[in-house]
Amino acid sequence: MVRSLAEPFFVAFAVSAALSPAGISGAFLLLPYQVSVLGLTGPSVTPTNHLFNILATPSGITRFFRDGRFAWPLAALITLACLPGSVLGAWARMHFLSDPKRFYLLLGLLLGFFAFRLGASALRRQAAADPGGPAPEARVGGGRLGLWRLQYEFAGATCSASVPALALVCLLVGALGGAAGVGGGALIAPLLVSQFRLPVHSIGGATLTGNFVTSAASLTTFLLLGGPGDLPDWRLGLVLGLGGLCGTYVGATLQKRVPTRALVALLALGTLALASSYLLRL
């Protein structure tokens, strides 16, 4: 259990500062922290994590926007497609995933999926528009969201993706994120880089926006449809969220000066280790 509120604050700060440059709030690492370290295994873990996302992500979104790294077509599509999935996932978490073993299975498979996609993106060549290393001057420009394609400019190149394909993936990912308490935007980040070939320096603001909106929808679902055991731990969520708020701002500020390939590789190894630890509990 928590001996000091300073511990979860600094854990959330460190996780968010390390992962927000890649467009990930760090909620998926706070899940095993709550379960393994703090001993929280009930359904309340999920809405607590959603509360963390709601509080932690706005500072990063604001910073990416100020730095000219906010791809609005991507943010709009992620939000619209993940939103219904996140509500469905939250409902499924309350009705079918209250058993800890089922939760461990979902969490292990989810983290394993993360590891696979992150590892693939680290090994493949980067997107043509991705500077690869530090990119302090690169900005997102233009932008168009149509029925079939979305596109925007970044680092002098045009980035585009299929709207139907990305919408379907976001819908499924939103459901998984809503059930696991990590936010749909976080799960889509490695897919945007490895599958859709979008430059990792350009996706942070969009994925954090997806995190914020889908977590807000999922938490609302828990509050309206859940029982007493489905309520978040308000005190813990507030402390984690404040730590994440500070950490996400720091990470988003430093993103333009940090190469991403090594970070993605480290995330893949760490996520694989976490996935293995949960699957071994079954």
Side-chain angles (χ1 to χ4, degrees):
M1 297 300 293
V2 185
R3 296 181 181 180
S4 170
L5 291 179
E7 176 191 319
F9 176 89
F10 284 111
V11 168
F13 174 86
V15 167
S16 297
L19 301 184
S20 56
I24 301 174
S25 68
F28 76 97
L29 285 179
L30 293 179
L31 270 172
Y33 169 71
Q34 291 184 68
V35 174
S36 300
V37 178
L38 304 184
L40 305 176
T41 58
S44 65
V45 174
T46 300
T48 300
N49 234 34
H50 286 307
L51 179 59
F52 160 80
N53 267 334
I54 293 170
L55 296 175
T57 53
S59 64
I61 296 169
T62 301
R63 186 67 208 193
F64 281 123
F65 184 82
R66 288 176 56 188
D67 286 347
R69 292 165 181 268
F70 187 84
W72 73 261
L74 186 60
L77 181 60
I78 290 174
T79 299
L80 293 174
C82 284
L83 190 57
S86 66
V87 175
L88 178 62
W91 177 83
R93 176 70 176 94
M94 288 183 287
H95 291 84
F96 301 108
L97 296 171
S98 58
D99 187 311
K101 289 188 177 181
R102 293 181 180 179
F103 187 47
Y104 293 151
L105 176 61
L106 174 65
L107 193 55
L109 293 176
L110 189 61
L111 290 169
F113 175 76
F114 251 116
F116 174 78
R117 301 310 303 186
L118 287 167
S121 65
L123 293 174
R124 293 177 182 175
R125 64 177 179 86
Q126 65 220 32
D130 198 330
E137 303 303 326
R139 299 288 186 273
V140 173
R144 184 177 68 86
L145 178 60
L147 291 176
W148 304 107
R149 303 290 298 181
L150 68 80
Q151 68 179 41
Y152 57 90
E153 306 294 323
F154 183 74
T158 299
C159 309
S160 65
S162 167
V163 168
L166 185 53
L168 178 60
V169 169
C170 288
L171 179 65
L172 297 176
V173 164
L176 290 174
V182 296
L187 294 176
I188 198 64
L191 280 171
L192 294 177
V193 176
S194 61
Q195 185 65 34
F196 291 92
R197 310 295 296 152
L198 297 179
V200 69
H201 285 90
S202 72
I203 68 171
T207 56
L208 289 180
T209 300
N211 271 345
F212 175 81
V213 174
T214 56
S215 286
S218 295
L219 181 59
T220 301
T221 303
F222 275 98
L223 296 178
L224 294 178
L225 302 180
D230 297 315
L231 297 178
D233 185 322
W234 294 103
R235 186 177 72 156
L236 177 60
L238 178 62
V239 172
L240 290 173
L242 291 177
L245 181 74
C246 299
T248 302
Y249 185 84
V250 170
T253 302
L254 297 176
Q255 189 239 38
K256 59 187 176 183
R257 303 187 181 278
V258 179
T260 57
R261 180 164 290 186
L263 176 62
V264 172
L266 289 174
L267 282 174
L269 293 175
T271 305
L272 181 60
L274 288 170
S276 300
S277 70
Y278 281 99
L279 291 175
L280 289 174
R281 293 170 180 249
L282 299 174

